[in-house]
Amino acid sequence: RRSSDLDAWIAMVLGFILGSIITYFINKYIYVKKENYDKNKLNIISIIFYLCIFLINIIILRVFTTSFYLTKTPGLFITIPFVFLVIYNIKKGLNVISREAEILLPISFIVILFNLVAICKNGSISNFIPIYTTSFSKLLLSTFYYAIFTITPQLLLYNLNIDMKTHLKGFFFINMVIIFI
């Protein structure tokens, strides 16, 4: 294993702390004053942001699926149903998306639990030690990457009325699951 792999959990914990601080300030100072924003500029930025996330997800889905599972299947056959699913969700709105998430959350936890049980015999503490074998600059860069990637979805919640404590609890829960995995 590379030494940078050993310290990934440190970067995740530090990124979580940095992301929590930034999420707190976003909730405290930006979401409160959202009526001062120019709605047109904010909508254009949101659309560009959503399109970037959509394209990144399509690329990840296509590469992952054609590389590991459906190696002989053309990528277009994998991408088209995903695009239709996104269009369907856009038309149905946030309530359908939240119901889908509520249905898929327990299923994903069951899959994670089965995976943990299955690989438990291969686990060892040697995967976490020695600690701090990565240079400080690489650890700091990994921390910023993790913080940015976990904060980015939080920025899309600007138009929802979410209590700051609820928002921070959700951010904490999501990060604990990611770090645990």
Side-chain angles (χ1 to χ4, degrees):
R1 292 178 60 135
R2 295 179 305 186
S3 65
S4 61
D5 293 342
L6 298 172
D7 291 334
W9 66 275
I10 297 172
M12 292 172 78
V13 169
L14 293 175
F16 162 67
I17 294 169
L18 179 64
S20 298
I21 293 169
I22 294 172
T23 302
Y24 173 78
F25 282 113
I26 287 172
N27 275 290
K28 183 108 174 150
Y29 298 108
I30 294 178
Y31 288 165
V32 172
K33 300 175 184 175
K34 65 183 174 186
E35 58 272 350
N36 296 336
Y37 292 134
D38 183 11
K39 300 287 186 194
N40 292 330
K41 287 181 184 177
L42 196 58
N43 286 335
I44 291 171
I45 292 171
S46 296
I47 290 170
I48 292 170
F49 196 61
Y50 287 131
L51 284 175
C52 288
I53 289 176
F54 175 70
L55 292 174
I56 289 169
N57 283 333
I58 283 182
I59 292 168
I60 290 171
L61 175 80
R62 186 175 184 166
V63 168
F64 183 74
T65 307
T66 56
S67 298
F68 295 108
Y69 296 115
L70 304 172
T71 55
K72 305 251 189 240
T73 306
L76 195 61
F77 290 134
I78 295 165
T79 307
I80 289 175
F82 182 73
V83 171
F84 283 131
L85 179 65
V86 168
I87 292 170
Y88 173 78
N89 282 333
I90 289 171
K91 287 183 178 180
K92 293 299 181 177
L94 194 58
N95 289 333
V96 170
I97 295 171
S98 63
R99 276 192 236 123
E100 289 171 355
E102 288 174 359
I103 292 169
L104 292 175
L105 184 69
I107 295 170
S108 66
F109 279 139
I110 291 169
V111 169
I112 290 168
L113 187 64
F114 280 139
N115 287 335
L116 285 174
V117 169
I119 65 170
C120 201
K121 63 179 179 170
N122 298 328
S124 129
I125 194 72
S126 65
N127 293 331
F128 294 101
I129 54 177
I131 296 174
Y132 197 63
T133 56
T134 310
S135 69
F136 179 74
S137 61
K138 287 185 179 180
L139 189 64
L140 192 63
L141 186 63
S142 299
T143 299
F144 284 129
Y145 279 151
Y146 184 82
I148 288 170
F149 285 131
T150 54
I151 290 171
T152 303
Q154 307 299 319
L155 297 175
L156 299 175
L157 301 174
Y158 71 91
N159 59 349
L160 301 176
N161 292 326
I162 300 175
D163 181 42
M164 182 168 51
K165 289 182 181 179
T166 306
H167 197 181
L168 290 174
K169 283 180 189 176
F171 185 75
F172 178 78
F173 177 72
I174 290 166
N175 277 284
M176 289 299 109
V177 170
I178 291 171
I179 291 170
F180 181 70
I181 291 171

